Amino acid sequence: MLAVKDKPWRMLFGLLAALSCLASFGDAAYPYYGTKIGALTRLHHGVSGDVYAVDSRTIFIKKFNYDGEAPAAYFYVGNTPKPSNEGASRLRDERGGTASLTRRYRNKDVTLSLPEGKTLRDIKWFSVWCDEFAVNFGDVAIPANLDFPRPQKINALRGVHGVSSDNIVIVDAQTLLVPNFSYDGEAPDAKFWVGRGQRPTPEGLRIPDENGKENPLRRYERKTIVLTLPEDLTIFDIGHFGVWCEAFTVDFGHVRLPEGLNVPPSLKMLGISPQSKLNCEVLYDDLAFEVRWAVAGESIVVQLVAKLEPNNYMSFGISPNRNISQMIGADAVVAWVDPQTGNGFATDYFLEGKAQCSGGRGACPDTKISEKTNSIRLLNAAMVNGYSIVTYQRSLAATDRLDLPISITEAESVVWAIGPLNDYKEVSFHTFYNKHLHQIEFGRQPKWNCPLPEGARPNSNSSEQEDSAPAAQSSTGGAGYPPAGRPNVEPEEEFYENRAEALHRQPPQRRQETAIITQRRPVPTPKPVTNSNGAWDIPAIQCHEPEDGVFYAQMGPTGGKHGYPAITGHVGWGISWYINGLLIPEIHVVRGRTYTFVVEGGNNPDIPAKYHPFYISDDPVGGYEHKREEEKKAVRIFAGVHRSRSGQVTPTGVGRLCNWTPDVEGPPADDYQSFGAYQRTLTLKCDAGEPGVISWKPDRNTPDTVYYHCFTHRYLGWKIHVHDACDSDASPGLKGSASERHEIRLPAEAADPAPVHEDYAGEASVRHETKMASALLRLSRRAY
C-alpha cells in the first residue's frame, strides 16, 4: 500500500468538520476545553478530574484518574436526583468500548459521547459507577441552566470581485463553515484572511483554503467550504475573517467575529486524532481505492479516494442482497474529478443491468429513470497528487424506489468498480470490480483499516499508548497518496443542537497571545513577468496633448497578458488606471505648465476595492498608504495629497468611480492583438457623484520621471516624463511631426479608424462630459 504524505492531518480534520456540521450537532485563553461543569467528587478508587461540556452531546474529562481496581466500573449519566445505575445510561469509553473500566488512568484526557437521542439538557449528573457493588466512585452535577458550547452563526460575506456567502458558521474554535461562497477568481493574489481588530490589514494572516493549500484563490460559485485555522490560532485570537488580496493589500470583503463566542473546542484542542473518529476500508489496493465514512445522525458522509486514469470513474454502492455482493439491482454512487477544472461529480445510479444506460435500462443515473431521484449530495472534490477525492452525503434510509437503505446494525454487502466514462460522462464498463463478497459494518465503532498518515500513531488520543494497536498493515511502495479530503458542507437545521462527538488539542506550550497576529509579514511584491513580448502598443500622451492640459483618470481592466504585466513587467491585480481612455499610457508633460487631472477612481473608503485615490510621486510602486514609515520617508509626493501641520498625509484625488467594463460574453483580453480592438469592447460605467480634481504644475525640482498611482494600492499606474520644453527632441522615442505620428498604420486585424471615432464619441456623449469625448476622439486618431 502507498505511504500517506502531503499535509496528512488537514484533510482528515476537514472530513470531521463536515461531520460536525451534519451530525449530532467568552473570551477564552488556552487551554480551552469548552464550558467547565465542575470537578468530579473524590469518593473512591482515586477518581478525580475536571469535567467540561464540549457541546450538547460531548463530555471531556481533563486529567482523569482512576486506579482500575474495581470489578465493574462504568461511565454513567442520568436524570435521577442522585447517581444510580437504575434508569441511567451507560456510556461507551473513550475508545468506543463497552467493557468495564479495568485499566488504570493517570491524568488522562478522556472524551465521551452521550447516547443517541440524549443531550446535556436531558441529564442531571455524570458518574463513575460500580455496577457490582452499586457504588458511586465520583460524580459531578450537570446544572439545569448549563450554557454548553454550540456552533454560532455570524454575518455573511459581501464584497467586491463577486465575494459573497450565506451566514458563516463558527463550527468550533478553529473551524469556519462558509456556505455558498462565491468569488470571481480574477485577482492574482486573493487569500482567506484573518487578523485582530475589526478590519483586515497587511498585518493579518492567510489561512489555508478548504483543501489545505495557501495558493491564490480560484473561482468559486456558491460553493460551501470548511476552513481550519492554522497551528494553534483560534477564533478567540481574531476579530475578523474575509478575503484579502495580499499582493495589493485590498479587502475584497470581510465579516467581524463577535467577542465571547461560546463555541466548542476543536478536535486538535482536545487531543483527538482524526482517524480515531473515522472509518476506512481498502477496496482495491493496486489503485489505493479506499472508502472512508462516518454516520452523522440520519445520514452518512462517505469519501472515496483512488488513483484513477484520466476520464475514469470510481463507484461504490449497496448490494440488494446482504449475503452476496451483487451488482444487478445495486444502489451505487459514481464519482470522479475533472483534472482540468478540479470540479467533482457524485451521481446516484441504479444498476438495472450490465449495460450502458439506454432508455432507462442498464447502469443508469437515477434521474435518467425517474425525475427528482438523485439522493446524493456532493460535499467536496479535489485532485491531490494525482489522486481523486470525492466526498458526498446520503440518507441512511431509502428516499425513493431506486434507493436501498443502509443498515447501521447489520453488515451490508457492497459493490465497487473502476472504469472509463463515455462521451456523456456516464459509466461505460468497469475495468476493475469486486468479484467476491465484500461486507462492511457501517454502524461500527470508528476503525481505520487503511494506511495511516506518515509518522502518525494509529490512535494519538490521550489513552494509554500501550493499548493502541496499529489500525493497518505497514504500507509498501510508491509515492504518497492523499489524506482524507476536506469536504464542503451546507449546514442542516439539526446541527445547531447536535455536533459529532469528534472534537481538536492545543500543543502544551502556550504561545504569546498576540505572537501570530502581530508578527510583521512584508507585503509580497508581485512577480515580474519574465516574457514581456506581446505587449500592446499603447500610444503615449505627448506634451502638447491634450491642448487644454486636462486628463481623465478612470479605472479599467489590466488587459490580460498583452496589457499591464507585459507593459510594466509587474503583475496587475485586475484593474489599472486608464488615462483619457488609454490603458496606463506614458504621459509627457512640460515644467511650468499647469495640468488638471479629473479623477474618477472611487470615493468610498469603506470598500477598498472601489477606492483608488490618484496621486503623483517619484515612487514606481504606489500604495503610499500601506507603506512602512521608513518607506514613506523616501517618497516625494508632487500632487494628490494634503499634508497637515502634524505631517498627516490625506489623499485629495478622490472622486466617483468610473470603470471601463469589458463585455462579459466577449472573448478574453488575451485574444485581442491590439489595444484599439480591445478598447472598442469596453463600456464606461460611472457611479453617481462628482469627480475629484487635482491640479499639478511640475517645476525645476520635479524629476524627469515620476509616476501616477493609486494611494491605497500598488501597481495600478505608470510613468510621467517631465520635460523642460515641448518639442520633438524633448520627447524620447518620438520622431517626426505630430501629424506624422497620428498617421501610424493600423494593425491588420484592427478595424477602420472611422468606426472607432464614432464609438468613442457616442460612448462619451451618453456617459461622460463633452470634454472627455473630444479627448477620446483626438487620441483615437493616433494608434488604432
Side-chain angles (χ1 to χ4, degrees), residues 425-442:
K425 296 299 181 183
E426 296 175 0
V427 299
S428 54
F429 61 90
H430 44 240
T431 310
F432 308 99
Y433 63 98
N434 59 319
K435 301 177 181 179
H436 306 288
L437 174 65
H438 194 153
Q439 291 188 317
I440 290 179
E441 295 180 45
F442 289 100

Side-chain angles (χ1 to χ4, degrees), residues 699-778:
D699 55 28
R700 60 187 179 87
N701 295 319
T702 307
D704 290 345
T705 302
V706 294
Y707 302 85
Y708 60 94
H709 272 299
C710 170
F711 189 79
T712 56
H713 307 104
R714 305 190 305 167
Y715 295 116
L716 264 65
W718 198 218
K719 298 176 180 178
I720 301 177
H721 300 282
V722 183
H723 307 281
D724 291 327
C726 186
D727 54 47
S728 59
D729 294 331
S731 299
L734 297 179
K735 301 296 182 182
S737 66
S739 61
E740 288 173 336
R741 292 197 303 272
H742 290 174
E743 293 170 0
I744 294 174
R745 178 172 295 179
L746 288 168
E749 73 278 7
D752 229 23
V756 181
H757 305 165
E758 295 170 4
D759 289 347
Y760 280 169
E763 197 68 67
S765 64
V766 174
R767 293 183 173 86
H768 218 324
E769 293 83 348
T770 304
K771 194 177 290 268
M772 182 65 185
S774 63
L776 288 174
L777 282 168
R778 288 199 305 272

Side-chain angles (χ1 to χ4, degrees), residues 88-121:
S89 298
R90 182 188 293 175
L91 304 184
R92 294 177 181 266
D93 64 22
E94 71 277 13
R95 299 171 183 174
T98 57
S100 62
L101 306 178
T102 57
R103 63 184 177 277
R104 184 172 184 172
Y105 291 81
R106 289 183 178 178
N107 291 324
K108 295 302 177 184
D109 295 343
V110 174
T111 304
L112 305 172
S113 299
L114 300 186
E116 285 292 332
K118 288 191 179 295
T119 72
L120 289 171
R121 291 195 185 97

